[in-house]
Amino acid sequence: MKSGLEGIGHIPLSTGDYYDACKRQLGHDLITKEDVWKRVGYIPLPHAYPIHASRSTHRIIAGGNRSGKTYCAAGEVIPYLLWWGSRGWIVSSKFDLADQLRKELQGFLVDRLGYTLGSNSNRLQPGQFYWSVQSHRLSTWMDNSIELKSAESPDSMNAVPVDYIVLDEAALFPFLYYDTRLVPRLVDSGGWILSVGTFEWLQGEWFEEYFDLGQNENNLDISSFMMPTNKNFHVYVGKGGEQPQDVGALYHTSWRAIVKHNAQVTWPLSSGTQVVINNVDLNWLEKEKRRIDPAVFASRYLAVSAGNQFRVFPSYTVSEFVDDRRAAFDPSLPVYLAIDPGGTYAVLAIQLKRGVSVNSENQNTLSRDVHVCLIDELYFQTTVTTAEVFEVMRHKEWFRNLRRGVTSSEMTGVIDIMAPEIHRTWEQLGRKCPELNNRFTLRTKKVNINPGNQTLQHYLDTNTLWVHPNCKWFSVEMKRYHFKELSPATVDTGDPRSMDKPKDEWNHAIRALVYFLVARYGYYGRSATPAVVSSRQLRGDRRR
């Protein structure tokens, strides 16, 4: 079944090579986005053009408050709403959030195109549209529609093919539904999803991850863009003779505000005279910048991620610690395992390297010049057996290196002390495995949460921890692992870091790594002596 767009996926921005390719595929001429924009009077913000020109399947717009991101999304959608037979969704965490974009689109239809409201979606005459409050669907006389969907009703996001999806206030939307409910709806059409949002404090980690990915070339078809509030303005270049009313009508804004914000301009305009059309009060914004906390201002107005202020490891960033070169698998070195087999089954593959890079001014008092490199991870959020995890691990290129270095004073890895049965299963599987040649020993060590976290922080402070991009869930945990959120009554006065422990969630791979670091090198601040395992202890473990 073909969609209204008949498989072209994206309407061309303008004529050119892509337009010609679409024309050949469809067998007829077609509209362009710029054709529609001229008709409806939509003028993209200068930094919005790359968004409209992109044909990535996954586009991310991180914008500040009042940055024009909803207006940009409406400009992207309106050509599709004028394409015969197209189907689209506007999705958000709640219906009222999704409804903001619908109102913007309806404004285009009524105010710019002169459409009128029909009485029935099945009997629309040319130039009519219909909005159904019951079905949350806006239909037009061109047999197309755009429907509102909400995370509050995930089961309604099934079984229907659509050409495009706009995810509004995306940082508030659960990522679980992104791949299970939204993206599968685009399979028939080869369509796209545009995620629009503002960076949040305690949620939306997936939105930040996708934004970071989209800032560089990648093989995931993700592109991302910034829309800061202070860039929400147009620059009009005079042709000669225009009055303020002419410019105001062109941009659908107050001509008096244009005159106020361009006091230096003489009217009527001379050819080449530049006029700034501000969509927000930049003077007010600049005054508020001096008052507002810089991190809050950055996230709410500059489209810069402020992160989670209650994170356990706020200094961890992907840009600083994720390095595919430093954390690459070295076939000449042993590989060690760090295992936490809790509700989420997390296994980290680790190599210890010297001379990876120059340490920071703060020297690592535990590992000395040895750097801990996370080369890979196994991360299962569904129920799996230890045998299944072990089988997945057997197909990794680093698997055979688990037997390297396993002597009477060495170990293959570390596992949670609270999982004795799983510990025995791991060792039984390891010692029966022919590739490991009966050389597989896991250690356990009781680790207190706060001293363990302080130890991991020491590796971050001294730049002696490196993470391969394959370990994406470890990076997600480092962003999500946080102290308990404060209640509304105490959010301004309480200190979550004064609590005894962080929230016991999103810390499975982190705990596995902490087990390993403490078992191998000891706690930071307690002893600089490595936690060497004796041969007597090893023999005792083997007898268990």
Side-chain angles (χ1 to χ4, degrees):
M1 174 182 176
K2 288 190 175 182
S3 69
L5 292 179
E6 298 184 67
I8 65 171
H10 294 265
I11 294 176
L13 175 65
S14 57
T15 56
D17 292 343
Y18 178 66
Y19 175 91
D20 294 338
C22 292
K23 182 178 177 180
R24 287 194 297 271
Q25 179 172 333
L26 298 175
H28 56 75
D29 290 334
L30 62 155
I31 61 173
T32 67
K33 294 177 184 177
E34 290 185 342
D35 292 335
V36 175
W37 293 344
K38 289 177 182 177
R39 185 178 173 190
V40 301
Y42 169 74
I43 303 177
L45 292 164
H47 56 291
Y49 265 100
I51 300 172
H52 296 305
S54 172
R55 296 196 296 274
S56 295
T57 299
H58 308 270
R59 284 176 288 176
I60 310 293
I61 300 178
N65 295 120
R66 299 295 301 141
S67 63
K69 55 187 184 294
T70 301
Y71 185 65
C72 173
E76 177 66 17
V77 169
I78 194 66
Y80 294 84
L81 203 53
L82 298 182
W83 184 287
W84 282 97
S86 69
R87 298 287 182 270
W89 282 356
I90 303 172
V91 185
S92 194
S93 59
K94 298 180 179 180
F95 279 113
D96 58 346
L97 295 177
D99 200 40
Q100 299 305 309
L101 178 54
R102 191 273 306 176
K103 291 177 180 177
E104 193 86 51
L105 290 169
Q106 188 166 316
F108 274 114
L109 295 177
V110 175
D111 301 332
R112 312 279 182 97
L113 293 174
Y115 276 31
T116 58
L117 181 65
S119 58
N120 188 306
S121 62
N122 297 320
R123 298 177 182 177
L124 293 175
Q125 300 300 312
Q128 287 188 328
F129 74 97
Y130 183 76
W131 164 243
S132 170
V133 177
Q134 288 75 25
S135 63
H136 303 284
R137 182 185 293 113
L138 187 153
S139 309
T140 81
W141 66 281
M142 300 180 72
D143 189 33
N144 53 33
S145 66
I146 190 163
E147 190 170 348
L148 273 56
K149 298 291 182 179
S150 165
E152 297 173 314
S153 302
D155 290 342
S156 71
M157 295 183 278
N158 282 320
V160 179
V162 296
D163 297 297
Y164 61 91
I165 297 171
V166 177
L167 179 55
D168 207 1
E169 297 298 343
L172 304 177
F173 189 82
F175 183 63
L176 172 67
Y177 298 146
Y178 189 92
D179 281 332
T180 61
R181 294 292 193 273
L182 302 186
V183 176
R185 307 282 69 79
L186 302 169
V187 171
D188 288 22
S189 65
W192 49 265
I193 180 167
L194 177 69
S195 300
V196 183
T198 301
F199 290 125
E200 302 292 339
W201 285 96
L202 294 173
Q203 52 190 321
E205 292 89 350
W206 76 267
F207 183 73
E208 294 187 23
E209 284 286 323
Y210 272 40
F211 177 83
D212 290 342
L213 286 168
Q215 289 291 285
N216 301 295
E217 290 188 11
N218 59 80
N219 59 0
L220 303 176
D221 206 14
I222 299 173
S223 297
S224 62
F225 311 87
M226 296 174 66
M227 293 192 70
T229 305
N230 57 10
K231 298 293 185 183
N232 189 3
F233 62 85
H234 294 87
V235 177
Y236 176 77
V237 180
K239 298 178 175 60
E242 299 95 324
Q243 294 289 353
Q245 295 85 344
D246 301 323
V247 180
L250 181 64
Y251 288 94
H252 301 274
T253 190
S254 168
W255 65 267
R256 291 183 175 86
I258 294 175
V259 172
K260 176 183 176 182
H261 293 139
N262 293 271
Q264 78 286 358
V265 172
T266 301
W267 302 91
L269 296 180
S270 300
S271 177
T273 300
Q274 292 189 349
V275 179
V276 177
I277 297 90
N278 288 322
N279 298 313
V280 296
D281 191 329
L282 296 180
N283 292 328
W284 177 91
L285 189 64
E286 190 61 30
K287 291 177 183 177
E288 286 297 289
K289 182 179 180 180
R290 294 191 289 268
R291 181 188 65 82
I292 297 174
D293 178 274
V296 175
F297 189 86
S299 66
R300 306 314 297 180
Y301 297 104
L302 300 182
V304 175
S305 173
N308 183 338
Q309 60 181 328
F310 304 139
R311 284 172 57 188
V312 177
F313 301 105
S315 62
Y316 181 87
T317 62
V318 171
S319 60
E320 184 172 0
F321 293 99
V322 175
D323 191 309
D324 58 354
R325 181 181 62 83
R326 291 187 174 102
F329 168 55
D330 186 338
S332 67
L333 294 176
V335 172
Y336 304 93
L337 299 178
I339 305 170
D340 178 35
T344 292
Y345 214 127
V347 180
L348 296 177
I350 300 170
Q351 288 192 307
L352 307 175
K353 301 181 181 181
R354 295 181 183 272
V356 174
S357 66
V358 178
N359 285 353
S360 64
E361 294 180 1
N362 299 320
Q363 295 297 308
N364 191 317
T365 58
L366 297 174
S367 68
R368 308 300 174 126
D369 62 340
V370 174
H371 291 238
V372 177
C373 302
L374 311 188
I375 63 170
D376 201 3
E377 70 178 6
L378 305 178
Y379 200 91
F380 300 91
Q381 292 179 286
T382 56
T383 302
V384 292
T385 66
T386 297
E388 290 171 329
V389 175
F390 194 90
E391 186 62 26
V392 172
M393 186 177 66
R394 286 185 65 180
H395 293 86
K396 296 289 186 177
E397 63 171 341
W398 45 261
F399 178 72
R400 291 177 180 273
N401 284 49
L402 290 173
R403 67 185 181 183
R404 285 180 177 269
V406 179
T407 63
S408 60
S409 62
E410 265 289 8
M411 59 183 180
T412 309
V414 177
I415 191 170
D416 184 359
I417 196 172
M418 301 302 292
E421 293 296 328
I422 298 177
H423 182 181
R424 283 192 284 271
T425 301
W426 268 98
E427 292 203 331
Q428 290 169 2
L429 291 169
R431 291 170 185 171
K432 291 178 181 179
C433 182
E435 294 95 334
L436 299 182
N437 195 25
N438 198 32
R439 299 172 73 177
F440 191 91
T441 301
L442 296 179
R443 298 297 298 147
T444 61
K445 184 174 180 65
K446 181 175 176 58
V447 177
N448 295 320
I449 293 175
N450 287 339
N453 289 342
Q454 291 167 5
T455 300
L456 174 52
Q457 184 63 52
H458 180 59
Y459 286 81
L460 300 177
D461 293 340
T462 56
N463 291 103
T464 47
L465 176 73
W466 303 105
V467 181
H468 195 275
N470 288 342
C471 303
K472 63 178 182 179
W473 284 109
F474 177 81
S475 291
V476 168
E477 286 194 357
M478 292 294 276
K479 287 186 176 183
R480 295 187 178 185
Y481 188 33
H482 64 274
F483 293 92
K484 185 178 180 180
E485 301 95 331
L486 298 172
S487 67
T490 60
V491 70
D492 286 334
T493 57
D495 181 4
R497 291 177 178 269
S498 66
M499 298 179 182
D500 290 339
K501 299 175 183 177
K503 292 188 69 173
D504 188 21
E505 58 185 33
W506 288 107
N507 58 349
H508 310 283
I510 291 173
R511 285 191 307 195
L513 177 59
V514 169
Y515 300 152
F516 179 85
L517 295 177
V518 175
R520 178 85 188 189
Y521 297 112
Y523 285 111
Y524 172 66
R526 292 191 182 182
S527 172
T529 304
V532 177
V533 182
S534 68
S535 58
R536 179 179 297 178
Q537 288 174 304
L538 286 173
R539 288 196 295 273
D541 273 357
R542 289 195 180 101
R543 285 196 294 270
R544 283 192 301 173

